Each structure stands twice: as structure tokens, then as C-alpha cells.
Amino acid sequence: MKLPNTAQAQQLITHNTLEKSASTSSATVKVNDSEAITDYVIAIEQPISQLAPDPFRGRNIDFIYSPNLNPILGMKKYGIGSSPIDINKPFAERSYKYGEFTNPDDINAFLDQVDRLDGELKNMFQHLKPTAELLELVQKMSDEELAAFTQFAVTTSRHQFGLENKNSSEQLISSLSKLSDDALSSTIATMGELLQQGNDYKKPVSPIGENEHGNETLVMISMPENINWFKSNYRANMAKYELANDYANLLMEKTFSEGQLIQLNSHLSETTLEQSSGIIDMMSLVKTHQNDDVLAMLNEVDKDGEPNLFNYLSQQTNYQANKQYYQMDNGKFVAQQDNISSDSNRRELYNNILNAYNDIGMGWINDALEQFTGTPAQIQNELWQTLLDDKEKMPEQFTRSDSVEAWALKNISRIEGAFHVTQMNKIYDYNSEQLLPELITKLSFYSSGNIRSSATSEAPQSAKNQQ
């Protein structure tokens, strides 16, 4: 009769059949003469590699590459490695390795977490290195939280062309592991909200229009040599990935109290991508002792109102907002694309706004925003610094309710006019250095960034332009 695939049968095979001809797939074994003479026909129906016990109940099969599951660019997919079977000792205990785990019980505990996910999310999770820290972290999460965390961790660690890529998943996991249960739940919920904000984001239409291929109808774009081409290219839509990466970096690099983090998360969950971008950048650059000041200011900002402080601040890290369009006499356009301002310049701007908030109040800031919104992103630091310096030097001129408006009428056109002269000179200099320069005639300012200028009147011309 055929014996089942049991340890007894396996041992019988080992002691008897392995010494016989390897070409035979079954063996007849005679028992001791003192026993009844019985022939046992032992059928060897499986390869030896499958006769060894599987402590993972076949779940390691899930890690074999499948063309139906998308590879995660820039991330390794983790599977269970095992020691090879010794043909002479096919039933010897085997060793296993899965990430940093070697104990089968630990591996099974981690595989239990993998089984909580389905489809592409399961595939994503298998790209996170199995560690004791990750296991302990995800065991605290609900199934919904695990799904949101997995998508966020992989999104911020996978390779994205045009971004500064680094597999930050282990550092992010370490940061999250330090959070209390309430702060962790709040943070994971915010991760999901920010990913949704990214999905909902619609790239604005170019103020000068696009052709059928989605390219701006420009004669020439002047730009510095060290600019990030992917981020500055109008067709590149990296905003949603940048937002997730910026939040991950904030969690990994900034120190918050539990209350501060939960409060910040509540604001980020109620905003748009543009507002969240402005909030995260400001919070990442101010000093830790200024966290409460930013959060207090956030409590007073009307997120649905205009002007909106954090929509306004988000233009500081938006390459499109750091781009000016100029029109030639023939109606065609050229543009000057600048890099975004440095961390130190943005920090100075944020400090000026915080000082104004603490000393004067949110109402005064909103008065200034009404005057500054729509002007080039590159001059905001100069506008705020000049305004606050004048208020300190000439306090008597800032006693009326329309004082900021009166100041703006005297100063903004002068500051903005000088800026446009500089921008047009950049365009002429850039064009003159080209192998085949364009014929660029007299220029007039048309639009700045994403906002169409209310007036397309000619900006002050440079001496070079007047030649």
C-alpha cells in the first residue's frame, strides 16, 4: 500500500531507498523476518525540497515575482531566504532570513501583517524592510491605518524623477515609533489626507496658453544654469510627491510636542495642497520655540478666505510662481525663470510675518496681504522688510486703518518696477550668450507666476532695452 507523506515514511526512504538505484521512483522494502512478511510500496511523489516542513504555510510563495504586480522603482522587494537542502540530510532543520528576522515565529508574525493587505498595497508593503521596529509599529494600527501608512511610506521612498530621492522608510518608521497612540493615529490620518490633496491637485493653466502638446507658447525661457529642470519645467507635475516628501521630512527632522503635532495635523487635514505646502515649509524652517506662534497664527487664518496667508506663502516654494512672462511688440512671449528663494531668505520672511503677528496682529497681516498678493514671489521678503522697517522708523504714518494701503501705493510700484528691470536684463544677457540669439524687441511685463497681471502696462525699461 502507499504510505502517506509522514516522518516515518520519510525515514524509511532515507535508510533504504537512497542506497538503491536513483532511477527508481518507488522501492519495495522487506521488514524483519521475525515479523509478518509484508511488502510496503513507498511512492516518492514529491521532490525532496517539498518534503521538508514549511513553517510559513506556503506564504513565502507570495514573494515570487509576478508580472501582475508593479515593481517599486528604487526600492528592494523583500522575500524569505532559506538555507539550501543538503541531499544527504534532507530533513535537517533549515535556517531562514526575512529582513532582519531569522526566527520563524517572528517571520510568521510579520507575514500576518502582510496578510492584512490586498493587491497593490500588499505588494507595496513587501518593499518595506521587515524589522522588529516596523512589526511593533504596524501592530498598533487598524487595517485602514496600515493601508494609509503603507501607501505614504512607499510614495515617499520610491524613486521619482526630478526629486531628491532617498529611501527614507526606515527613518520615517523610527520617527513614528516614538509617537504615542493618539499622535500616531493623528499622523497616519494626515498622511492619507495629504496624499488625497495631491491626487485632487490640478496644475494651473499657463497664463500665456499652451499648444496641442502641452508646451507653453514661448519664444525663449531664460534661466540660471543650476536650476532644477524637472521642477521648473511647466509640464512637470511633481507637487503631490513634493508635499508628501516635505511632510515626511518634517516628521523626521523637526521636534514637536504631542499636542503641537496633533494640532498641526488637524490644520493640515483641513487645507488644500497649496496651503499645506505653505504651512509645512514655514513650520520646517522656523525655530522649535516658534512652533506655538505658528500654530496660534494658524488658528486665526481663515482657510476659505481671501487673501489667505498660507496660499500666499506657498508661492515661495513654487517654481511657476517664480517665473515672469514678458511680451514683445510682435505679441510673442519670453520668460525669466528663477530658482526658488533659499532657506535662509524664506526663514527671514517667515520671521518677519511672525513678528508682525505677535506685535500687531492677524488683521494687520491680512491688510498687507491684500496689497502684496499678486506681486512676484521673489520680492515678498523685500516688501515685508521695507514695510516693517518703515513702521518702526515712522510710526506716526501707521496710525490710520488704511495706513498699509497708503504705504503700498507709495512703495510697491517702485520695488516691483526695479525688479522687472532686473528680470528683463537677465533675459537679454541670457539671449546674448546663446549660439543663435533670438531677435527680442522691447518688452513689457505681462504676468507673474500663476497669476495674470491686472494691468499689462509696460514695466520700466532697462538701459539695455532702450538702446
Side-chain angles (χ1 to χ4, degrees):
M1 71 178 192
K2 288 188 178 181
L3 294 178
N5 182 18
T6 64
Q8 181 181 1
Q10 292 169 355
Q11 291 172 4
L12 204 56
I13 295 169
T14 303
H15 290 297
N16 297 282
T17 65
L18 290 181
E19 297 177 357
K20 297 180 181 295
S21 171
S23 63
T24 304
S25 63
S26 63
T28 301
V29 181
K30 287 190 175 183
V31 299
N32 191 289
D33 289 340
S34 64
E35 301 176 3
I37 300 176
T38 306
D39 289 340
Y40 288 84
V41 179
I42 302 174
I44 306 176
E45 298 177 336
Q46 303 180 57
I48 290 179
S49 63
Q50 294 184 16
L51 294 177
D54 175 15
F56 312 120
R57 305 187 298 278
R59 292 189 290 182
N60 53 325
I61 300 301
D62 291 342
F63 296 90
I64 297 176
Y65 170 75
S66 169
N68 297 322
L69 295 176
N70 297 326
I72 308 299
L73 188 61
M75 299 184 72
K76 172 185 175 181
K77 188 173 185 179
Y78 289 88
I80 301 174
S82 61
S83 58
I85 295 177
D86 186 343
I87 191 66
N88 296 315
K89 300 177 181 179
F91 308 109
E93 185 176 355
R94 302 171 69 187
S95 61
Y96 299 93
K97 184 171 180 59
Y98 181 34
E100 71 173 26
F101 295 123
T102 56
N103 185 299
D105 290 339
D106 294 334
I107 294 175
N108 272 315
F110 197 88
L111 292 177
D112 289 342
Q113 310 311 309
V114 178
D115 287 344
R116 294 167 62 190
L117 297 165
D118 296 312
E120 184 60 24
L121 284 173
K122 175 178 282 192
N123 177 49
M124 286 183 175
F125 190 73
Q126 292 169 11
H127 286 78
L128 301 177
K129 183 179 180 180
T131 65
E133 189 171 44
L134 176 57
L135 175 59
E136 183 179 359
L137 177 65
V138 299
Q139 285 175 331
K140 300 176 184 178
M141 301 178 189
S142 67
D143 290 350
E144 293 77 12
E145 289 173 336
L146 177 59
F149 161 76
T150 298
Q151 189 171 11
F152 185 90
V154 172
T155 297
T156 54
S157 295
R158 70 190 309 166
H159 183 86
Q160 303 288 350
F161 289 103
L163 296 181
E164 296 178 3
N165 293 277
K166 56 182 180 179
N167 189 333
S168 60
S169 56
E170 291 185 53
Q171 188 179 353
L172 177 63
I173 290 163
S174 181
S175 297
L176 294 178
S177 297
K178 298 179 176 67
L179 301 179
S180 68
D181 290 348
D182 288 343
L184 177 63
S185 293
S186 168
T187 300
I188 293 175
T190 304
M191 289 175 173
E193 291 290 342
L194 294 180
L195 290 177
Q196 188 59 50
Q197 289 175 19
N199 291 332
D200 293 341
Y201 176 72
K202 303 297 182 185
K203 184 168 65 70
V205 177
S206 169
I208 63 167
E210 304 170 12
N211 61 22
E212 65 274 14
H213 303 295
N215 296 316
E216 289 186 295
T217 53
L218 284 168
V219 172
M220 185 191 72
I221 303 177
S222 166
M223 61 181 67
E225 291 183 359
N226 63 341
I227 199 163
N228 185 315
W229 185 89
F230 281 97
K231 290 184 179 181
S232 63
N233 187 291
Y234 191 78
R235 297 186 66 187
N237 187 6
M238 309 300 295
K240 64 180 180 180
Y241 301 113
E242 287 184 275
L243 180 64
N245 287 340
D246 289 343
Y247 183 61
N249 290 332
L250 185 67
L251 294 172
M252 294 184 290
E253 297 172 4
K254 190 69 184 283
T255 301
F256 295 103
S257 68
E258 178 177 330
Q260 288 173 339
L261 180 57
I262 292 175
Q263 189 178 355
L264 173 63
N265 286 336
S266 69
H267 287 293
L268 292 173
S269 297
E270 299 171 350
T271 58
T272 63
L273 179 143
E274 293 91 340
Q275 292 173 4
S276 292
S277 178
I279 293 169
I280 291 172
D281 190 60
M282 186 177 197
M283 189 62 86
S284 68
L285 291 180
V286 300
K287 302 295 185 182
T288 300
H289 72 269
Q290 295 175 301
N291 287 351
D292 286 332
D293 291 338
V294 177
L295 293 171
M297 190 167 63
L298 267 171
N299 288 330
E300 294 192 44
V301 171
D302 180 2
K303 299 181 181 66
D304 297 322
E306 290 295 338
N308 183 281
L309 175 61
F310 290 99
N311 268 342
Y312 163 83
L313 292 180
S314 71
Q315 303 304 296
Q316 293 299 304
T317 55
N318 182 339
Y319 274 87
Q320 183 64 16
N322 284 266
K323 185 176 187 177
Q324 280 69 48
Y325 299 87
Y326 298 90
Q327 192 169 28
M328 297 187 289
D329 289 346
N330 61 7
K332 295 183 178 181
F333 296 96
V334 295
Q336 173 60 39
Q337 172 70 70
D338 288 342
N339 268 312
I340 62 173
S341 60
S342 65
D343 288 358
S344 60
N345 284 339
R346 299 201 312 279
R347 184 181 295 111
E348 183 179 2
L349 171 63
Y350 300 155
N351 283 333
N352 281 333
I353 292 175
L354 281 177
N355 290 336
Y357 170 75
N358 289 326
D359 296 341
I360 312 170
M362 195 68 215
W364 197 83
I365 289 177
N366 286 333
D367 289 343
L369 290 181
E370 288 182 2
Q371 308 303 319
F372 295 168
T373 298
T375 57
Q378 297 97 312
I379 68 171
Q380 300 312 306
N381 202 11
E382 182 180 0
L383 289 175
W384 278 97
Q385 189 63 61
T386 305
L387 173 62
L388 294 176
D389 286 346
D390 287 353
K391 187 177 187 304
E392 183 178 359
K393 295 173 184 176
M394 300 171 287
E396 68 281 358
Q397 295 186 14
F398 291 86
T399 57
R400 297 169 48 182
S401 59
D402 63 347
S403 297
V404 175
E405 181 180 0
W407 181 91
L409 289 172
K410 292 179 181 178
N411 293 277
I412 289 182
S413 60
R414 171 181 57 80
I415 295 173
E416 187 172 4
F419 169 77
H420 286 303
V421 168
T422 300
Q423 295 298 89
M424 288 187 288
N425 276 333
K426 289 179 182 178
I427 292 172
Y428 286 113
D429 290 341
Y430 181 88
N431 185 51
S432 67
E433 295 171 359
Q434 303 307 301
L435 182 61
L436 296 173
E438 301 286 346
L439 180 60
I440 298 179
T441 58
K442 189 169 74 170
L443 300 174
S444 59
F445 171 61
Y446 181 80
S447 178
S448 183
N450 299 325
I451 305 171
R452 173 65 184 269
S453 177
S454 58
T456 57
S457 59
E458 185 175 312
Q461 303 299 302
S462 69
K464 184 180 297 186
N465 195 22
Q466 293 173 347
Q467 290 178 355

